[in-house]
């Protein structure tokens, strides 16, 4: 029971993990074969595969480390969600290439832009987050998400906006917002207390408490945990079976489950992004963020 | 971690279970003694016992297998609930005779009726479900439910509408709605995400994920799990102790706990049944249901 | 799996625990040093320490056993909360001196007063509870609560109104309202079903089901459990780290997490206290309470 305020060694841990697992063969091959396919070349930081009955979006960032999110990458995901909502796919599978699912907002990008033009960039980035999160809230077909490794910050916060969350034993989850001097995003201020109970949710949001895949599963954030070696196959097997269901039943079932939450989630999303914008456009909020992040950079 | 999409071998599993446990002595004797009692002869598919301080309703279907529900059986339960709400009992105990608690809607009944007169029967059956579920939502005294064996579909969905859920180690829970080409019922589209978290709830509703008694307990669907051999005694001991409480305190406590949910649940129930009616009255929805169920019949 | 309706041997258990752990060194010393500090002498049944970045309130009742709550003690806590909301502390730490966190409402006080003047005292005590609970609902800075031992009745019910709940392995939780012939208080009729699921919440509220620290943690009432020997240090370490965060981020994060709950909780609190007042001012409700509590006194 050592002090688990993961915000402190966030980036170094992730980097170490990345190094140790460079040879994650399955996804690398997948990426290769996908990149051959010309219809997928419209995206730079994600890969989109049209499969039989479902669309597969893979986070595969070329412009950030560890699948960190920038406004540009979030826009690509939104575009892919928009395409998938209109085509004949019955559901969406979201996963990641590499050993990290998503490390959340790209902080070096954030520092760079906010130092440049605090007022303009705080609005632009907050709106990018808002629209990204909104795209998940409004997506009508079931979203299955497969978490192969760490999911941090916004990368963890959006999971309750997806419908089924399958995780590899190697996955872990952390949203150290307060530690990084940020307020919650991705509707986590609402969905985390709802799912995990207020006590654990706040420990995650305020103290950066890290959840293992098993903990996240036993507390309701994750549907089921699988062994890393067969993770992709297990997920594919299940997704294909789901995709054999009737499209109407899938969409109407999701509509029933989500209808009571949708408008509430949209409000939360607006409020959270409004708060981030305020924080980033105030010199005090920004100083506190900068001094924290710069300490971390020197530390690493 | 084999593929647990239980919809596929639902009926055969249940049947096998039934065969293996035919000699469930306690309940058989109970039934015998109850059947002697002339005041209980008004019901055909349930047994109702007036006990000291509480009413005991036992599912004991003569007209369906494995305590499956038909509109007629649901009407009997409603009638018994109505009686219990008016008499001097302080609470209700719901359990089942045999080794299956309730296998949900009777699909052979469903196919038979819908093939006959799709338009009329879809309305009649959907309304029977709606009124059955509504009777649970509106019941003012505490409902204790004792789950001796499998609880499937509607038989599992109504559990969050009850107040205390005690389960035998032999119980298990499954709501494979999408697998069977149905949308959720019994308010499960609302109560399951609320209790289990959206990730596990959707895995149950979309993929037919099966929960053991222990899993259901650790995730909040069940209050406590007991050994099968002493299950009935443990339940009776506790119910009698509850029945020694003040009737006013019991009813007002339930009123406080439920008041924030009641109107929401009634809306959900309406929506869910509306959706089932639409599905059953559309030729496409019906075809998809029929082709699935017929495959299962041939498979068995 | 013996019958765990803890209402029956509530006080004797707590007393035994108290005797066995009289030499709880850490807190005794703490108390001593605190008592020296003149600024803390304004309170009789609580100790308030101004620490660097946070306020520490310790329940330490001189006028009741086992940190039981009377209207006077609840008023002291409210006063301390009010002070802490106005000063420069970033968060609040709530804990207890001794081996019991809080044994809930003081029943001997309750009997004494209600026997005297049922009408007047039922209003006064119900309003004291209402205002005490309201002070927690409305407190804007994060509240961390450290549970060193048993938390009963109102002492357990208020935990979901706090933000982070750390518990010692020795802590346990029980709200045997119906057993004691009372209706729920402290918003537990709303927060317990929300966090624990309706099945377990009702087992606690109706049957006095007792939760160990580990159970409470796995079900979401508690954030994390620590070994008793290092409990205080672990809590202090974490609270100090939280207190190093930006005050704005802490308060705004709490505001986001709580904003959707606040008005609902205030309604629940009003309703619950209204119900208790009704119960206590009716001769029937009072008789039932008295006969139960007197039995217990003779039993002990």
């Amino acid at each position: 029971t050592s002090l688990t305020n993961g915000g402190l060694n966030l980036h170094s841990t992730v980097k170490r993990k990345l190094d140790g697992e460079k040879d994650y063969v399955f996804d690398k091959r997948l990426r290769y074969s996908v990149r051959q396919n010309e219809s997928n070349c419209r995206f730079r930081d994600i890969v989109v595969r049209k499969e039989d009955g479902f669309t597969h979006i893979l986070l595969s960032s070329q412009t950030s480390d560890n699948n960190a999110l920038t406004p540009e990458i979030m826009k690509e995901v939104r575009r892919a969600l928009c395409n998938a909502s209109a085509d004949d796919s019955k559901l969406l599978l979201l996963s990641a290439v590499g050993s990290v699912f998503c490390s959340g907002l790209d902080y070096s990008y954030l520092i760079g832009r906010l130092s440049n033009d605090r007022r303009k960039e705080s609005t632009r980035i907050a709106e990018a987050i808002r629209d990204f999160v909104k795209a998940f809230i409004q997506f009508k077909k079931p979203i299955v998400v497969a978490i192969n490794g760490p999911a941090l910050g916004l990368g963890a916060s959006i999971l309750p906006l997806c419908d089924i969350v399958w995780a590899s034993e190697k996955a872990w989850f952390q949203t150290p917002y307060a530690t990084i001097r940020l307020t919650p995003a991705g509707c986590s201020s609402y969905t985390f207390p709802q799912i995990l109970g207020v006590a654990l949710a706040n420990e995650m949001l305020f103290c950066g408490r890290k959840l293992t895949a098993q903990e996240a599963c036993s507390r309701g954030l994750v549907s089921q945990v699988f062994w890393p070696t067969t993770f992709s196959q297990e997920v594919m097997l299940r997704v294909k079976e789901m995709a054999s269901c009737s499209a109407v039943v899938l969409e109407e079932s999701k509509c029933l489950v989500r209808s009571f939450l949708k408008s509430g989630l949209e409000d939360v999303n607006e409020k959270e992004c409004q708060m981030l914008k305020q924080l980033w456009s105030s010199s005090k909020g920004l100083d506190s963020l900068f001094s924290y992040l710069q300490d971390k950079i020197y530390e690493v």
Side-chain angles (χ1 to χ4, degrees), chain A:
Chain A
T1 58
S2 71
L3 189 62
T4 54
N5 193 323
L8 297 177
N9 52 3
L10 198 73
H11 292 95
S12 52
T13 312
V14 174
K15 270 180 194 145
R16 229 177 307 118
K17 270 206 115 92
L18 253 176
D19 290 341
E21 298 165 34
K22 256 186 187 138
D23 42 1
Y24 194 73
V25 180
F26 178 75
D27 276 347
K28 295 260 165 183
R29 263 185 326 190
L30 177 67
R31 161 168 225 149
Y32 180 73
S33 78
V34 169
R35 287 287 172 195
Q36 307 281 313
N37 186 328
E38 75 168 348
S39 78
N40 294 315
C41 290
R42 291 163 300 160
F43 297 105
R44 190 185 51 187
D45 293 301
I46 63 173
V47 176
V48 180
R49 301 184 64 166
K50 284 262 319 173
E51 302 281 353
D52 192 24
F54 66 98
T55 301
H56 188 176
I57 299 180
L58 298 105
L59 302 177
S60 166
S61 180
Q62 306 301 300
T63 57
S64 72
D65 289 335
N66 299 326
N67 284 327
L69 296 169
T70 62
E72 289 70 31
I73 300 175
M74 290 190 269
K75 202 171 172 187
E76 285 204 343
V77 174
R78 278 168 51 208
R79 199 149 52 86
L81 284 172
C82 183
N83 292 347
S85 75
D87 69 16
D88 64 348
S89 60
K90 296 181 189 172
L91 58 96
L92 182 85
L93 172 61
L94 176 64
S95 68
V97 171
S99 58
V100 175
F101 174 70
C102 172
S103 60
L105 212 55
D106 186 332
Y107 294 114
S108 50
Y109 179 99
L110 194 68
I111 291 186
R113 293 305 178 106
L114 292 177
S115 333
N116 221 28
D117 185 342
R118 195 175 81 198
R119 200 159 295 266
K120 192 183 130 209
E121 290 296 324
S122 64
T123 302
R124 193 180 69 91
I125 300 173
E127 283 177 0
I129 297 174
R130 185 197 60 193
D131 294 343
F132 174 71
V133 171
K134 202 172 177 179
F136 279 87
I137 297 173
Q138 295 185 334
F139 195 75
K140 291 201 168 98
K141 299 170 184 179
I143 304 176
V144 174
V145 58
I147 313 286
N148 55 308
L152 306 172
L154 199 51
S157 296
I158 56 162
L159 300 181
L161 306 177
C162 303
D163 300 293
I164 292 180
V165 183
W166 284 316
S168 153
E169 191 74 47
K170 286 185 177 174
W172 49 270
F173 305 86
Q174 196 177 28
T175 54
Y177 286 113
T179 316
I180 292 170
R181 315 302 186 239
L182 292 181
T183 49
C187 294
S188 57
S189 69
Y190 176 79
T191 58
F192 275 40
Q194 189 74 16
I195 292 171
L196 305 166
V198 95
L200 179 56
N202 280 324
E203 209 187 15
M204 291 189 73
L205 300 174
F206 285 109
C207 310
R209 162 81 180 273
K210 190 172 142 177
L211 291 190
T212 65
Q214 289 294 354
E215 285 169 333
C217 183
S218 75
R219 301 300 284 268
L221 197 60
V222 160
S223 309
Q224 205 170 155
V225 178
F226 297 96
W227 288 112
T229 42
T230 52
F231 180 56
S232 302
Q233 291 98 306
E234 296 280 3
V235 168
M236 278 302 170
L237 206 63
R238 282 165 172 77
V239 167
K240 280 172 187 162
E241 193 167 330
M242 267 184 84
S244 75
C245 282
S246 140
V248 174
V249 165
L250 288 174
E251 194 163 327
E252 293 297 349
S253 296
K254 170 155 183 174
C255 175
L256 280 168
V257 168
R258 291 283 172 183
S259 62
F260 316 98
L261 296 169
K262 211 172 223 174
S263 71
L265 290 175
E266 285 175 5
D267 288 353
V268 179
N269 186 30
E270 289 287 345
K271 274 190 198 170
E272 286 180 345
C273 292
Q274 195 61 34
M275 185 61 65
L276 284 177
K277 203 171 85 181
Q278 267 177 42
L279 212 61
W280 290 336
S281 58
S282 82
S283 61
K284 210 177 152 191
L286 212 57
D287 283 354
S288 146
L289 173 68
F290 281 8
S291 72
Y292 174 78
L293 289 177
Q294 261 154 5
D295 283 2
K296 292 311 113 193
I297 287 161
Y298 288 125
E299 229 169 64
V300 174

